Amino acid sequence: MESPAMDDAVVMFPSPAIGHFISMVELGKLILTFQPSLSIHILIVSAPYILHLSNPHVHQALLSISKTHKIKAFIMDFFCFFSLSIASQLNIPGYFFFTSGAGCLAASMYFPTLHQTTTKSFKDMNTFLNLPGIPPISSSNFSSAVSDRNNKAYEYFLDMAYCFPKSAGVIVNTFAVLEARALKAISDGLCIPDSTTPPAYCTGPLIVTNNQTDGDTECLNWLESQPSQSVIFLCFGSLGLFSMEQLREIASGLERSGQRFLWVVRNPPSDSESLDISALPEPDLNSLLPDGFLDRTKEKGLVVKSWAPQVAVLNHKSVGGFVTHCGWNSVLEAVSAGVPMVAWPLYAEQKFNRLMLVEEMKIALPMKEDENGFVTGLEVEKRVNELMQSDSGKSVRERTIAMKNAATAALSEGGSSRVAMSRLVESWKH
């Protein structure tokens, strides 16, 4: 007697970091629009998040799913690269999901080549490096995780980079027009000169479009009363925290600029090592911000505590600029809304993203910090006014709107992202 035919499945393994997790879920939803008969399984790591210890569990999960489904693809967040070996053992095509842009992917793929051409750490170089497909990059713009080659994190990223050629492909949360030069360098094999370059599938922008606004309509109601494109929005991602001194400098810069603003303020970092920002108490704005600031700016500005519905805010007609930490999800949300940016990186690959946004894509102006990462009120005032009032700000705005239209086209029938997704899903049918 024949065994019953098994349903096809895709198994996804996201990193627990919220920005990575959400975009992986969006990818799963997109896959189902192309092949609704697929079964999507998402593996979730429980705390503590020591990812590389998960392999035995991943192996067991894949074996278990294989009993009832034919697994067509195992899609890992690139931080979960160590599980590629499990997929290989089980003869399942393993793909990486790269949650940052193609420029960052090009640099990551080229990382082993950089490693082999020098014995110095990036932090000791003080020079500009030429990498395929991206503008010359200062060695200081590499993330702190890879700046010291004697660091464990450096070794981790190097091991990850060596895994790219072993994968069946890399799914990238970007779209072709946004990062054409980096994508060409990747497809031409320039980023992995001594091995095979896997195909890159640009399927973005993958963002949450129905941002939850229940229970927080204050800022949206306030925006309704503001002139079109008059408000600059300041928001710094799920992990962006500032010292009280820095918050006061931002406040003084905003006040002196005279611009309308909507600013999301969180408590400064505590001594706790927890990364759970939701556990922080609600900020006391009167004690954090300069005396009288809220009263003096109440006609032009609104400060909200801890959180705002970012997608809804960026898509509001009154918002004309965005001061951002350059997290890739936030970048794509701004591009999709056609809102130009002031780029103020705080951690991870965000300095690299600033380089791409300012020099390559030309959809942002740079916020300039001192060697300790501190930004003065004068710099805040200057950049906010430049974005909202100057010719350079106008140029960035026009370029961003062009990219918004390109993003819409990429996701439309026959657009580059839809074609890439179709090509990927079609490859699983064989």
Side-chain angles (χ1 to χ4, degrees):
M1 184 174 159
E2 276 189 33
S3 57
M6 291 198 289
D7 291 336
D8 291 341
V10 168
V11 181
M12 309 182 97
F13 186 20
S15 158
I18 192 66
H20 292 240
F21 188 87
I22 288 172
S23 54
M24 181 78 91
V25 170
E26 291 302 308
L27 174 63
K29 285 153 67 172
L30 181 64
I31 289 169
L32 287 178
T33 67
F34 281 81
Q35 196 172 337
S37 62
L38 275 173
S39 171
I40 303 275
H41 300 253
I42 299 179
L43 309 184
I44 297 175
V45 179
S46 57
Y49 303 123
I50 307 171
L51 285 166
H52 65 276
L53 299 181
S54 303
N55 267 4
H57 304 293
V58 171
H59 188 262
Q60 192 55 49
L62 290 175
L63 281 178
S64 178
I65 295 165
S66 296
K67 290 174 183 173
T68 53
H69 296 79
K70 184 170 178 54
I71 302 177
K72 292 292 188 174
F74 179 51
I75 302 174
M76 297 149 282
D77 188 287
F78 62 100
F79 278 138
C80 305
F81 69 90
F82 39 80
S83 291
L84 182 63
S85 60
I86 303 295
S88 300
Q89 286 171 32
L90 299 176
N91 207 26
I92 298 168
Y95 296 82
F96 288 120
F97 179 45
F98 201 78
T99 53
S100 199
C104 194
L105 174 61
S108 299
M109 287 179 160
Y110 197 68
F111 188 32
T113 304
L114 282 178
H115 174 75
Q116 290 157 19
T117 54
T118 181
T119 57
K120 278 188 173 181
S121 293
F122 295 129
K123 67 181 178 64
D124 300 325
M125 283 185 176
N126 194 27
T127 188
F128 280 84
L129 299 166
N130 291 300
L131 281 64
I134 64 173
I137 178 170
S138 166
S139 51
S140 64
N141 275 347
F142 284 93
S143 83
S144 58
V146 297
S147 62
D148 183 352
R149 67 190 288 141
N150 299 313
N151 196 319
K152 195 75 180 165
Y154 182 97
E155 192 180 311
Y156 179 91
F157 277 90
L158 189 61
D159 289 344
M160 179 185 75
Y162 278 121
C163 281
F164 283 121
K166 302 171 188 172
S167 71
V170 184
I171 303 162
V172 198
N173 191 6
T174 192
F175 58 99
V177 173
L178 187 65
E179 301 187 87
R181 195 159 71 99
L183 287 166
K184 186 172 190 313
I186 292 168
S187 63
D188 287 351
L190 302 179
C191 301
I192 308 181
D194 51 2
S195 190
T196 308
T197 301
Y201 301 93
C202 296
T203 60
L206 288 165
I207 56 172
V208 178
T209 50
N210 58 337
N211 202 204
Q212 186 71 29
T213 58
D214 292 351
D216 193 335
T217 55
E218 178 197 11
C219 58
L220 297 177
N221 289 340
W222 181 81
L223 285 171
E224 283 296 313
S225 66
Q226 306 305 313
S228 175
Q229 294 191 341
S230 67
V231 175
I232 187 129
F233 176 46
L234 299 89
C235 190
F236 298 93
S238 56
L239 297 174
L241 299 176
F242 293 113
S243 66
M244 184 187 288
E245 185 187 6
Q246 183 64 87
L247 288 173
R248 293 186 168 206
E249 285 294 311
I250 296 170
S252 70
L254 287 175
E255 184 173 1
R256 283 202 306 268
S257 77
Q259 300 293 337
R260 298 173 191 272
F261 65 87
L262 172 61
W263 180 20
V264 180
V265 170
R266 291 198 182 100
N267 268 321
S270 66
D271 295 333
S272 163
E273 292 185 8
S274 169
L275 289 178
D276 183 9
I277 280 184
S278 64
L280 288 173
E282 198 168 73
D284 177 357
L285 298 179
N286 285 313
S287 66
L288 288 175
L289 304 177
D291 288 345
F293 171 78
L294 293 172
D295 281 336
R296 292 193 303 273
T297 60
K298 66 185 177 186
E299 299 302 320
K300 284 201 165 183
L302 178 67
V303 180
V304 297
K305 297 177 182 180
S306 303
W307 183 86
Q310 182 166 293
V311 172
V313 169
L314 287 170
N315 282 279
H316 197 283
K317 66 183 187 308
S318 296
V319 172
F322 182 28
V323 181
T324 174
H325 65 309
C326 307
W328 192 246
N329 288 339
S330 292
V331 166
L332 291 179
E333 288 166 6
V335 168
S336 298
V339 177
M341 290 166 270
V342 174
W344 184 349
L346 300 177
Y347 53 87
E349 89 289 14
Q350 292 163 10
K351 283 186 180 178
F352 182 90
N353 289 346
R354 172 172 62 186
L355 171 80
M356 294 297 291
L357 293 171
V358 173
E359 302 293 339
E360 185 73 7
M361 303 171 199
K362 297 180 171 37
I363 56 176
L365 299 173
M367 191 76 85
K368 294 184 177 170
E369 65 270 30
D370 67 19
E371 62 273 12
N372 298 313
F374 192 78
V375 172
T376 65
L378 285 171
E379 174 67 8
V380 172
E381 175 189 9
K382 176 184 173 184
R383 292 302 171 188
V384 164
N385 280 333
E386 185 182 2
L387 186 68
M388 301 301 276
Q389 294 180 324
S390 74
D391 287 343
S392 57
K394 182 183 176 189
S395 172
V396 162
R397 185 176 309 281
E398 289 169 352
R399 175 83 174 158
T400 308
I401 289 167
M403 284 300 163
K404 173 190 177 179
N405 296 333
T408 302
L411 294 172
S412 302
E413 198 63 45
S416 61
S417 292
R418 283 191 69 86
V419 168
M421 193 75 237
S422 181
R423 190 161 46 95
L424 177 62
V425 171
E426 199 60 36
S427 72
W428 298 337
K429 294 179 181 176
H430 305 301

